[in-house]
Amino acid sequence: MKTLVLRVDPEHPDPEKVELAARKLREGGLVAFPTETVYGLGADALNPRAVLSLFEAKRRPLDNPPIVHVGEREEIHALAKEVPPEAEELVKRFWPGPLTLVLKKSPSVPSVTTCGLETIALRMPRHEVALALIRRSRTPVAAPSANLAGRPSPTRAEHVLQDLEGRIDLILDGGPTQVGVESTVLDLTVDPPQILRPGGTPPEALEEVLGRVTLHPSAVAEREVEVEKARSPGMKHRHYAPNAELLVVEGEPSAVAEKMAELAGELRRQGKRVGILATQETLLRCPAEVASSLGSRDNLEEVARRLFGALRELEAKGVEVILAEGVPLRGLGVAVMNRLRKASGYRIVKAPAP
Ligand code: TXA
Ligand code: MG
């Protein structure tokens, strides 16, 4: 299969290109498109064969359901069996945006789309290309991140090509994504609501609307946590694994810089090729031959935006070990730490306070 790449303006996509992509979706094809978080790989959510081919293209395990994307807020009523008042409230406040709601599924959704679960994950993305595509396709769009299973999520069309060229029909290239980490997945079938995956909508913003929200124990765990499969299907799979070993170094900024320099020295003496993934401030104190900057430590939005691209960049330089700097567990830092700790396989080094 040849993968066609069409460049589109992220704010005013050419309607003819969008129509071509929408037609592919209606015919059961696979189309990658930008959202505000990461690139998604779309298939018609109501077409079981199209959804199955989505799993095949990504080599994704058949027990991890994709998120179903909608083009209008109201569509939640057709796809969910019940829409509790908190869901209405959240939709009003956060859609379109990086928040996915888990609700009881409507019988109209094929069971392959939810991997046999009684629940469905729904979201309306905040990106003109995604919205135009979903609306034109006149169907809800199942879209996991457009990477091979286990790889960092794509924040540029080039990342999609690296993983999926020849495996999908088309990519709408709308440039780099804004948020950089995936949406927050919030389970509204439990009381109080629970964040299953921290993401682009910070926990603090959800607390403001809901009062109490819990964070799933595995979300920022420091070690592997047993998970109940039925509620958190994606959690048991290893995510965001770069092609190198990854260690997360956590602690006060000055202690982290010192610890990273020490570890890098040790690893190099063992003959290992080391790459450093750190904020600008830390890189100044811990110079490295192979490094990728996460931007300023004071700007966790920037850290989130750069994270996956920086991981891919270090891999491309052929490093064997990546030393990654831990960031504070607040705002988007929660999502960043979730991705880093999982990518490390929970190899966390605590830098001792000076
Ligand atoms: O930002 C995003 O969410 C991106 C863009 C493309 O929208 N999409 C994305 O999809 O990250 P994916 O499939 O890579 O991640 C979906 C997450 C997984 O952790 C999956 O386990 C969870 O949502 N999920 C899907 N259906 C669920 C359900 N019924 N109950 C609980 N979790 C569910
Ligand atoms: Mg994914």
Side-chain angles (χ1 to χ4, degrees), residues 21 62-63 92 119 184 188 207 236 251 282 284 316 343:
L62 283 165
D63 60 359
K92 224 191 285 165
T119 54
T184 299
L188 287 175
E207 266 158 23
K236 67 184 168 44
T282 298
L284 285 173

Side-chain angles (χ1 to χ4, degrees), residues 246-303:
L246 189 143
L247 273 77
V248 195
V249 185
E250 302 180 9
E252 285 306 307
S254 60
V256 165
E258 204 171 304
K259 190 74 191 171
M260 280 186 140
E262 181 193 318
L263 284 172
E266 247 169 59
L267 288 161
R268 276 190 212 107
R269 277 192 295 280
Q270 293 169 18
K272 296 246 167 82
R273 289 175 53 81
V274 182
I276 298 218
L277 179 71
T279 60
Q280 216 164 279
E281 292 87 344
T282 298
L283 286 177
L284 285 173
R285 308 170 74 149
C286 167
E289 282 159 58
V290 188
S292 202
S293 170
L294 292 171
S296 169
R297 205 181 156 93
D298 297 330
N299 185 348
L300 292 172
E301 280 81 28
E302 186 183 11
V303 172

Side-chain angles (χ1 to χ4, degrees), residues 321-343:
V321 186
I322 296 172
L323 298 178
E325 174 182 352
V327 297
L329 278 172
R330 59 175 151 75
L332 289 192
V334 183
V336 170
M337 288 308 286
N338 165 274
R339 309 307 186 267
L340 281 179
R341 284 178 173 171
K342 282 196 171 166

Side-chain angles (χ1 to χ4, degrees), residues 10 13 28 106 147 171 173 254 268 337 340 350:
S106 142
N147 50 279
I171 303 175
D173 177 356
S254 60
R268 276 190 212 107
M337 288 308 286
L340 281 179
K350 298 281 184 190

Side-chain angles (χ1 to χ4, degrees), residues 58 60 144-145 147 153 182 197 239-240:
K58 274 189 60 114
R60 177 170 172 125
S145 48
N147 50 279
S153 290
E182 304 89 335
R197 177 181 74 182
H239 276 125
Y240 324 109

Side-chain angles (χ1 to χ4, degrees), residues 27-329:
E27 289 165 357
L30 301 179
V31 174
F33 59 95
T35 76
E36 79 280 36
T37 56
V38 301
Y39 275 73
L41 179 62
D44 178 351
L46 303 182
N47 176 344
R49 280 188 41 204
V51 174
L52 271 177
S53 70
L54 189 64
F55 285 94
E56 213 168 77
K58 274 189 60 114
R59 301 205 186 103
R60 177 170 172 125
L62 283 165
D63 60 359
N64 188 13
I67 293 168
V68 175
H69 294 65
V70 297
E72 307 292 343
R73 293 181 173 127
E74 295 68 46
E75 284 178 69
I76 193 173
H77 296 283
L79 298 168
K81 193 157 98 185
E82 285 159 31
V83 182
E86 312 90 77
E88 299 272 15
E89 194 62 36
L90 291 165
V91 162
K92 224 191 285 165
R93 174 85 180 261
F94 294 104
W95 280 14
L99 178 65
T100 294
L101 302 178
V102 174
L103 295 166
K104 292 209 178 107
K105 111 186 219 311
S106 142
S108 64
V109 180
S111 73
V112 282
T113 304
T114 58
C115 296
L117 297 180
E118 287 307 311
T119 54
I120 184 168
L122 293 169
R123 116 168 172 95
M124 178 179 179
R126 189 177 62 223
H127 195 292
E128 292 308 320
V129 176
L131 289 174
L133 176 67
I134 300 164
R135 288 170 182 162
R136 283 241 167 200
S137 69
R138 296 191 298 275
T139 181
V141 175
S145 48
N147 50 279
L148 282 176
R151 303 276 307 134
S153 290
T155 52
R156 299 174 172 272
E158 299 89 88
H159 301 159
V160 181
L161 267 182
Q162 282 167 12
D163 281 16
L164 298 174
E165 182 162 25
R167 305 176 69 83
I168 63 176
D169 295 290
L170 196 150
I171 303 175
L172 289 176
D173 177 356
T177 60
Q178 282 302 306
V179 178
V181 290
E182 304 89 335
S183 62
T184 299
V185 178
L186 181 71
D187 186 350
L188 287 175
T189 68
V190 292
D191 186 25
Q194 185 170 60
I195 296 173
L196 299 179
R197 177 181 74 182
T201 300
E204 296 89 337
L206 295 175
E207 266 158 23
E208 252 175 57
V209 175
L210 295 170
R212 212 158 102 77
V213 186
T214 61
L215 194 58
H216 191 282
S218 95
V220 283
E222 299 192 4
R223 57 188 62 81
E224 199 99 41
V225 174
E226 278 289 315
V227 296
E228 188 195 332
K229 184 177 162 249
R231 275 200 47 229
S232 337
M235 287 179 192
K236 67 184 168 44
H237 303 290
R238 188 162 174 219
H239 276 125
Y240 324 109
N243 282 330
E245 254 180 89
L246 189 143
L247 273 77
V248 195
V249 185
E250 302 180 9
E252 285 306 307
S254 60
V256 165
E258 204 171 304
K259 190 74 191 171
M260 280 186 140
E262 181 193 318
L263 284 172
E266 247 169 59
L267 288 161
R268 276 190 212 107
R269 277 192 295 280
Q270 293 169 18
K272 296 246 167 82
R273 289 175 53 81
V274 182
I276 298 218
L277 179 71
T279 60
Q280 216 164 279
E281 292 87 344
T282 298
L283 286 177
L284 285 173
R285 308 170 74 149
C286 167
E289 282 159 58
V290 188
S292 202
S293 170
L294 292 171
S296 169
R297 205 181 156 93
D298 297 330
N299 185 348
L300 292 172
E301 280 81 28
E302 186 183 11
V303 172
R305 187 179 312 127
R306 288 181 178 225
L307 178 68
F308 289 134
L311 272 172
R312 282 185 184 253
E313 191 183 298
L314 283 177
E315 278 181 5
K317 290 182 179 159
V319 300
E320 292 161 273
V321 186
I322 296 172
L323 298 178
E325 174 182 352
V327 297
L329 278 172

